Amino acid sequence: MKHLCTEVIERLAVKSGFCKRRSKLDALSFLKLVLFDPLSTEQPSLEQHCISLEEDRGKRVCKQAVNRRFNDRAVVFIQTLFEHYLQNQFLSKKLSSGFSDRFSSIRLMDSTEFKLPKDLAADFPGFKGAGTESCTQIQFEYDILSGKIIDLSLGDARIADSAYAQPLLVNVQRKDLIIRDLGYSKIDSFKEVESRGAYYISRLNPNITLYERRGKDLVPLSYKTILQRLKGSTKKYLEMPVYLGGDANYEVRLTANRLTPEAVERRLRKKIYRKNKKPETYSYLKEMNLFITNVPKKMLSANEIYGLYRVRWQIELIFKTWKSVLKIDQVRKMKADRFRCYLLGRLLWVVLNWEICSVFNAYLNQSESILVSFYKCFTIIKQRVRSLEYILLHRKAKLKEWLLTLFDIISRFGIKEHRRGRAAVINLLALNGK
């Protein structure tokens, strides 16, 4: 948290053009409005900001003055501060995993989007249809072993995930393992990852054509055929090399397994399996999982592929935490610059919390073979938002004492619990602990 100090905040405020002359609403006071006030008062009004400034910082300002301060320069200031903190995040010791000797990182990526008031449609365009005229999207990628946030950024909800993620592949390093959902499934992306000496695991996109080799020929491979082979086999998994795309020039490893009747029933609740343009295709897909990868068999078994992909639901839990604890998707009517400042403030809070949780997580896994629940951790820290605000902005020397107290509370009340019917992350990642 050393990068969230008065000196850094004031320097970036001047650099961004937010502070050009003396003002009651200086950089520290404004940061308080966008970072701390929305956590202690849900969706604060301009009047509530004024009251908070007078009570906590002894500054009397009118709501018109506060509203004027939410401008394009303020957006640049909070964006600059957020990016600075993200680039200088403290990295804890990596989790000790049974996969660490095979992969240098295990990178999970996904996105979440939410609706906004229609008055923001000009700045945050959405989709045609009632209630979706204005939307925004957040892209998130992190390494689950080190806890490092690789990407956390705002995006256009209308742009496909695959189009957004493609340029980020320049950051992929040798021996990285990339795990992404269907939205990022693109043959060019797979080729790019492989060209960098890295690996990927992805669900197979139903729109990608499959071929298999029969003798010297490559012939189309249907989902009906794959399901028939699964039903006729005594093995849990079906594995085979397949070729992707219309020209069938890219070979990958296909892993397939049948779902239980209960899992099929859950899948049928999803709209895509009930209403789609390819009913015959989805009639087969509803009964099985199909994964493609470039990781060789000797390096990763089919069961390990399935287990590692299941780790991906951790990112869904993270999105749930942002929405249920931080209320990131609850937005009242306001001007666009004010909303941008609030949202960037929430993302800054996410990184700050993430840093604390990751350090505690690594230590507790190494010493006690347990993991922190990020949901519980975020909730506990939010309950202490005012004390953290005071320490960060006024009494930085007390931060270590505050963190030690927080660690004691989280080590007793913030531990991840195993849910019945779900494989524990500690097992899926083969975490060694002590």
Side-chain angles (χ1 to χ4, degrees):
M1 294 184 192
K2 65 181 180 180
H3 294 283
L4 199 64
C5 61
T6 302
E7 294 78 12
V8 172
I9 294 167
E10 291 179 344
R11 174 170 57 82
L12 294 178
V14 172
K15 181 181 178 181
S16 64
F18 178 72
C19 288
K20 293 183 177 181
R21 56 183 180 272
R22 292 179 63 86
S23 169
K24 284 186 178 180
L25 262 177
D26 57 16
L28 288 179
S29 299
F30 187 77
L31 181 61
K32 166 189 163 48
L33 299 188
V34 300
L35 181 60
F36 297 109
D37 280 6
L39 293 165
S40 55
T41 303
E42 194 170 311
Q43 300 193 65
S45 65
L46 294 172
E47 290 89 345
Q48 287 170 317
H49 281 318
C50 294
I51 294 170
S52 176
L53 281 169
E54 186 167 350
E55 290 179 344
D56 298 342
R57 297 184 67 82
K59 297 189 175 185
R60 300 188 67 176
V61 294
C62 63
K63 68 176 185 178
Q64 290 82 5
V66 173
N67 189 48
R68 285 195 298 270
R69 216 54 171 126
F70 284 104
N71 53 39
D72 56 348
R73 293 187 299 277
V75 174
V76 174
F77 165 49
I78 302 299
Q79 175 82 41
T80 303
L81 183 60
F82 163 68
E83 291 174 353
H84 176 82
Y85 200 90
L86 186 61
Q87 292 165 5
N88 292 280
Q89 59 188 296
F90 177 81
L91 297 182
S92 59
K93 184 178 180 181
K94 281 190 176 185
L95 297 177
S96 181
S97 167
F99 297 107
S100 297
D101 59 336
R102 288 171 270 183
F103 307 110
S104 57
S105 71
I106 299 178
R107 296 168 54 158
L108 309 181
M109 185 174 189
D110 207 345
S111 67
T112 183
E113 63 182 53
F114 48 92
K115 296 184 292 186
L116 302 174
K118 63 181 180 181
D119 306 78
L120 293 171
D123 295 273
F124 298 92
F127 310 93
K128 293 181 179 180
T132 58
E133 296 95 334
S134 182
C135 299
T136 192
Q137 181 188 75
I138 299 174
Q139 293 280 348
F140 182 52
E141 182 177 22
Y142 77 105
D143 172 16
I144 198 168
L145 295 182
S146 70
K148 180 182 179 181
I149 296 176
I150 298 164
D151 181 64
L152 178 59
S153 54
L154 303 180
D156 188 327
R158 300 169 302 171
I159 297 177
D161 286 337
S162 58
Y164 178 87
Q166 186 72 22
L168 298 179
L169 295 179
V170 296
N171 298 319
V172 171
Q173 304 293 317
R174 184 176 175 274
K175 291 184 68 177
D176 285 350
L177 176 62
I178 314 297
I179 302 178
R180 295 177 178 173
D181 200 8
L182 279 176
Y184 300 91
S185 183
K186 194 175 179 182
I187 296 176
D188 288 344
S189 298
F190 300 144
K191 290 180 178 179
E192 178 70 18
V193 170
E194 191 164 347
S195 72
R196 294 178 174 275
Y199 304 96
Y200 61 83
I201 297 173
S202 174
R203 283 179 63 196
L204 178 63
N205 189 325
N207 295 319
I208 294 178
T209 306
L210 290 182
Y211 295 85
E212 67 173 332
R213 185 172 293 282
R214 292 182 188 172
K216 294 182 180 181
D217 299 322
L218 289 175
V219 298
L221 176 64
S222 69
Y223 296 117
K224 179 180 179 180
T225 299
I226 296 173
L227 183 58
Q228 287 175 338
R229 292 178 185 177
L230 271 172
K231 290 180 176 180
S233 173
T234 57
K235 296 181 178 179
K236 183 177 181 180
Y237 298 99
L238 172 69
E239 289 201 272
M240 59 188 298
V242 297
Y243 299 82
L244 306 184
D247 52 5
N249 66 353
Y250 183 57
E251 182 180 349
V252 300
R253 175 186 172 194
L254 174 71
T255 300
N257 72 294
R258 290 186 67 188
L259 299 180
T260 63
E262 294 78 16
V264 173
E265 184 64 30
R266 288 195 299 271
R267 183 166 281 187
L268 285 173
R269 294 174 195 158
K270 297 180 180 180
K271 185 177 179 180
I272 187 65
Y273 289 93
R274 292 180 284 106
K275 295 181 180 180
N276 54 73
K277 296 179 181 179
K278 298 180 178 181
E280 184 178 359
T281 296
Y282 280 90
S283 68
Y284 303 121
L285 289 176
K286 70 183 181 184
E287 295 188 49
M288 56 184 175
N289 283 319
L290 298 174
F291 298 103
I292 53 175
T293 182
N294 65 331
V295 185
K297 278 186 180 182
K298 62 182 180 181
M299 192 172 173
L300 212 59
S301 69
N303 194 54
E304 288 174 321
I305 289 174
Y306 181 65
L308 281 172
Y309 192 83
R310 291 180 70 184
V311 174
R312 205 195 63 80
W313 55 258
Q314 287 296 302
I315 208 165
E316 299 294 341
L317 296 180
I318 291 166
F319 292 153
K320 177 184 176 182
T321 298
W322 295 357
K323 293 178 179 179
S324 58
V325 178
L326 303 183
K327 313 295 184 185
I328 203 166
D329 60 331
Q330 296 183 20
V331 183
R332 64 189 298 169
K333 182 180 178 181
M334 65 183 72
K335 66 181 184 180
D337 284 338
R338 183 178 169 193
F339 168 67
R340 286 191 180 95
C341 287
Y342 283 152
L343 187 53
L344 288 166
R346 293 294 176 90
L347 295 185
L348 177 58
W349 181 258
V350 164
V351 180
L352 190 151
N353 278 239
W354 189 271
E355 189 175 76
I356 296 173
C357 295
S358 295
V359 172
F360 289 178
N361 198 43
Y363 181 82
L364 287 170
N365 178 246
Q366 184 179 33
S367 61
E368 305 292 337
S369 296
I370 54 179
L371 294 175
V372 162
S373 162
F374 277 51
Y375 181 91
K376 294 179 182 179
C377 193
F378 270 57
T379 302
I380 291 169
I381 296 173
K382 184 183 177 184
Q383 292 170 341
R384 286 152 182 78
V385 61
R386 283 305 185 190
S387 62
L388 180 57
E389 174 192 350
Y390 180 74
I391 287 170
L392 286 178
L393 300 183
H394 305 288
R395 297 288 300 277
K396 204 68 177 283
K398 292 285 186 179
L399 180 59
K400 183 177 180 180
E401 180 183 334
W402 187 89
L403 287 171
L404 288 173
T405 301
L406 179 67
F407 176 77
D408 177 65
I409 294 170
I410 286 177
S411 63
R412 290 184 291 132
F413 304 109
I415 302 306
K416 183 184 286 291
E417 298 177 13
H418 176 55
R419 291 179 60 181
R420 183 178 298 177
R422 274 192 172 177
V425 175
I426 205 164
N427 296 328
L428 294 175
L429 287 175
L431 297 180
N432 302 321
K434 292 189 249 187

